[in-house]
Amino acid sequence: MIIVANQPLDLVPSQWSAFEWHWLQQLQNRPTLYSYQTLDHLQFEWKLRASLVHAAEGLNASGVSFASFEKSRCNPAYWNLNNEGGFELKPNVTPAEGIRDIWRNGSLYAFECATATVIVLYGGVLESIREEAFNSLFRDLLLFDWHYDSDLRLTEKNGSHNALPGDVLYFKNPDVSSETPEWQGENTIMLRENLYYGHGIGIASGGQIIRTLNQFRTPGSQVSAYLMDNVIYPDFYYLSRFAENSDLNAPAGTTPVLPGQLYVRIGGSRYLRTGS
């Protein structure tokens, strides 16, 4: 059920896109309570979720390649490649320009799945907030593994069965072969019911991702890869203050990481979790 400002919401189809309408109806029919501060907050979250799906689908079609950190590459006009395989934004390039170039010139880029997931998060946020706010929030951008700016406010919860489009989920391969450690798991963006984007695999169902990972197990292993229960997503309410026409009008970069936030490791990757 959806609650806005402590009141039940009456959904009107004409106010939403087909994508939003489909999912909001699902939320209304679930026993879980989905609470939003304002209608603008609800609208922004679903605009950003749609942007994350679009960013993932676009990255899949952009021509980017899968590569280990040692073999990573990037467009030297926008990024410096450091010794660890990370992409450091050039001083004369704005974060928005650097991120957009990955979709425009995908054939010049190669990276592994954690970096791809963070790139999708940045791409979705870029298309959902004011560009000047994006450039202020994410200046000195570094793309490397699960390194990300604290202003993404990534949050973790349990409940992959209730995941929504734009959420990050992880398929773990617990018995991965020592010869293919890069296939210890797959970071993915949920696109819709049982459909995910995972860099290196592409757009696939959960079953297809598990079958792919199982090809890289220790010989003779009967321990299957599986979808972990953890769900990762950005702080939609915090980011909504940087959207066009936001009533909050918060200056970009003025809100620090909240006390009580901590980092957690899931499947060898680092995430930011908001403490209770």
Side-chain angles (χ1 to χ4, degrees):
M1 183 178 184
I2 300 173
I3 298 293
V4 175
N6 297 318
Q7 298 293 325
L9 177 67
D10 291 326
L11 290 174
V12 179
S14 61
Q15 296 177 348
W16 307 93
S17 70
F19 169 86
E20 294 165 341
W21 178 249
H22 170 79
W23 283 97
L24 291 173
Q25 285 182 300
Q26 290 206 25
L27 266 57
Q28 282 285 54
N29 294 327
R30 290 181 181 181
T32 304
L33 189 65
Y34 296 91
S35 181
Y36 296 85
Q37 301 281 345
T38 64
L39 183 59
D40 285 345
H41 174 209
L42 172 63
Q43 291 171 332
F44 175 83
E45 174 170 329
W46 283 93
K47 175 183 177 182
L48 178 47
R49 287 190 179 277
S51 294
L52 290 167
V53 170
H54 183 257
E57 293 174 336
L59 193 64
N60 182 63
S62 69
V64 297
S65 299
F66 180 85
S68 63
F69 294 116
E70 294 80 10
K71 296 182 179 180
S72 293
R73 66 176 189 272
C74 55
N75 186 350
Y78 290 83
W79 305 89
N80 293 318
L81 181 65
N82 66 26
N83 293 332
E84 295 181 308
F87 306 161
E88 298 174 355
L89 193 67
K90 284 182 173 290
N92 61 331
V93 176
T94 68
E97 290 172 336
I99 290 297
R100 287 199 177 110
D101 186 67
I102 301 173
W103 278 263
R104 290 172 178 164
N105 293 295
S107 62
L108 300 179
Y109 292 85
F111 37 77
E112 46 63 67
C113 70
T115 303
T117 303
V118 175
I119 288 171
V120 169
L121 290 169
Y122 282 130
V125 171
L126 173 57
E127 297 309 310
S128 303
I129 68 174
R130 303 187 309 275
E131 185 162 328
E132 68 271 19
F134 184 90
N135 289 332
S136 180
L137 287 170
F138 304 119
R139 57 187 179 273
D140 302 321
L141 202 58
L142 168 65
L143 303 177
F144 175 69
D145 196 19
W146 263 102
H147 177 96
Y148 56 84
D149 192 285
S150 60
D151 278 299
L152 279 179
R153 299 281 187 91
L154 298 188
T155 302
E156 175 220 359
K157 68 177 182 181
N158 293 328
S160 59
H161 60 288
N162 281 327
L164 298 171
D167 284 342
V168 178
L169 297 104
Y170 188 75
F171 288 81
K172 183 175 178 62
N173 191 9
D175 218 357
V176 65
S177 169
S178 60
E179 297 183 0
T180 54
E182 65 272 20
W183 291 105
Q184 65 183 298
E186 183 77 351
N187 291 286
T188 67
I189 302 288
M190 181 177 167
L191 305 179
R192 54 189 65 89
E193 295 97 333
N194 193 33
L195 195 67
Y196 309 87
Y197 166 66
H199 184 58
I201 293 179
I203 294 176
S205 68
Q208 290 170 323
I209 293 172
I210 288 170
R211 286 192 292 274
T212 299
L213 292 175
N214 283 345
Q215 296 175 21
F216 300 97
R217 290 179 293 180
T218 300
S221 172
Q222 298 300 311
V223 180
S224 177
Y226 63 94
L227 174 62
M228 294 186 68
D229 194 43
N230 308 86
V231 179
I232 307 296
Y233 52 90
D235 187 333
F236 297 102
Y237 182 64
Y238 168 69
L239 291 169
S240 70
R241 67 187 64 191
F242 306 110
E244 295 287 351
N245 305 318
S246 171
D247 291 334
L248 294 175
N249 294 319
T254 59
T255 306
V257 177
L258 294 175
Q261 289 184 331
L262 52 93
Y263 288 98
V264 296
R265 283 199 170 270
I266 302 172
S269 298
R270 189 171 73 149
Y271 301 96
L272 182 66
R273 179 173 65 189
T274 304
S276 57

